[in-house]
Amino acid sequence: SAVITGDRSGLVYSLQDSFSCLGITHLIAISGLNMGIVFLFGYAVSFMIMRFIFPLSLRFDTPFIAKSTGLVCVILYTFFVGYSPPAVRSAIMVLCFVASFIRIRKPSLLESLALSGIVILLWMPNSLFSASFLLSFAAVLGLVGMYALMESLPKWTVFMAIPIVSMAFTAPIVINLFGFISPISILANLVFVPWFSFIIMPIGITGIALMTVSDHLSSHILSIAFDSIGIILKTSDLVGSLEPVRCPGKAWIAVCYCGMVTAIFSKPSMTKNLIVSLCGVLVLAIPIYLY
């Protein structure tokens, strides 16, 4: 109803408050996650069309066409949401990752992340001081390192580790910038991130795409997406909360990332064990000393 009557600001703030209490605010931000879903949606649809139309799959490179279609969808989505700085940054991140998969036989996810950061900061240097830039790159850095470590493990273990690693790599920044954390954020991420990413958002994109075909069908599909979001909001009302947390300072943040980056990206050695152990002790000792 807020969308229909034009009261979008109230709806946005309601979503932000409710999603924050569950620790899943990143789901409604224009982030790399959203852009990645848009890319996968365009990739999957075009790939299935190419496979079903047999003459096309014989004549053209199906994976290349599917990846290119996904990139076009990302660009169109960026313009659709108003090409705001967060949307442009997220689009550049996805474009760099996909371009490396198209051009390089064995791409490096870490190098692709670094390339996207360089391009973004050359184009928009002030992004270095924005919360969305810091949170996006911190989360993706953790996921890149986690995937390299757990690539040989069962897929369900990787899936379970995603919200834990994302929260760990973004928590110091969140505590420093906002001073609040959600106690149930890990559980909420495990449940609502896949639900929102692979059910609600594809349904919403389908409903928007069908607006040019049938308003009646589009409204029915969009109502399903809104009802699903309503379930998340009700869950937030029941169990969601925000707990104030004082940041122990910049040195504590540096120690957190030193320990996490060393633990994930360094090769096994006595030096690695020593650094990680020392950082773990300091992460606990600094707040105790200060408070």
Side-chain angles (χ1 to χ4, degrees):
S1 61
V3 173
I4 294 172
T5 59
D7 185 19
R8 294 178 177 83
S9 60
L11 174 67
V12 170
Y13 284 122
S14 176
L15 288 173
Q16 287 178 343
D17 291 342
S18 298
F19 279 49
S20 295
C21 290
L22 294 174
I24 54 174
T25 312
H26 53 281
L27 291 180
I28 57 172
I30 304 298
S31 63
L33 173 64
N34 300 117
M35 288 295 181
I37 296 169
V38 172
F39 169 79
L40 290 175
F41 185 82
Y43 177 89
V45 171
S46 60
F47 190 88
M48 287 189 294
I49 292 174
M50 294 287 290
R51 286 299 187 188
F52 280 126
I53 305 176
F54 194 66
L56 289 178
S57 61
L58 289 177
R59 179 169 295 186
F60 299 102
D61 185 350
T62 300
F64 176 80
I65 297 295
K67 292 173 186 176
S68 301
T69 304
L71 289 179
V72 171
C73 290
V74 167
I75 295 172
L76 293 176
Y77 182 77
T78 304
F79 283 100
F80 178 76
V81 298
Y83 47 90
S84 60
V88 174
R89 286 196 295 264
S90 301
I92 291 174
M93 186 182 295
V94 173
L95 289 172
C96 289
F97 272 96
V98 177
S100 66
F101 278 95
I102 293 176
R103 299 292 300 173
I104 304 173
R105 188 173 296 274
K106 291 184 178 181
S108 168
L109 295 176
L110 189 59
E111 291 177 0
S112 300
L113 179 64
L115 175 61
S116 64
I118 292 171
V119 173
I120 291 170
L121 292 177
L122 286 175
W123 191 0
M124 297 176 287
N126 289 333
S127 297
L128 183 61
F129 308 101
S130 67
S132 61
F133 177 88
L134 296 174
L135 292 171
S136 294
F137 274 83
V140 176
L141 178 65
L143 294 177
V144 167
M146 178 212 69
Y147 183 78
L149 284 178
M150 305 180 66
E151 191 173 6
S152 60
L153 298 179
K155 296 298 181 184
W156 69 269
T157 58
V158 178
F159 176 79
M160 296 291 287
I162 287 176
I164 299 174
V165 173
S166 298
M167 181 182 176
F169 268 77
T170 56
I173 298 174
V174 170
I175 293 172
N176 179 57
L177 295 179
F178 307 114
F180 289 93
I181 61 171
S182 173
I184 63 167
S185 60
I186 294 179
L187 180 61
N189 276 273
L190 282 171
V191 175
F192 291 124
V193 167
W195 186 15
F196 188 92
S197 302
F198 302 111
I199 297 177
I200 296 177
M201 194 165 176
I203 291 175
I205 294 174
T206 303
I208 294 172
L210 289 175
M211 283 181 177
T212 57
V213 179
S214 170
D215 288 339
H216 181 71
L217 181 60
S218 174
S219 63
H220 277 293
I221 293 177
L222 287 174
S223 68
I224 297 174
F226 281 121
D227 290 341
S228 300
I229 293 176
I231 295 174
I232 300 178
L233 299 182
K234 290 184 182 299
T235 304
S236 175
D237 292 338
L238 292 174
V239 299
S241 65
L242 285 175
E243 299 296 330
V245 179
R246 295 180 65 181
C247 181
K250 299 293 190 298
W252 178 81
I253 298 173
V255 170
C256 288
Y257 284 109
C258 177
M260 289 188 292
V261 170
T262 303
I264 288 184
F265 290 98
S266 297
K267 295 180 179 180
S269 66
M270 289 295 296
T271 304
K272 173 183 177 178
N273 296 336
L274 179 62
I275 293 175
V276 173
S277 301
L278 178 61
C279 289
V281 171
L282 290 176
V283 166
L284 297 175
I286 291 176
I288 294 174
Y289 172 77
L290 291 177
Y291 311 117

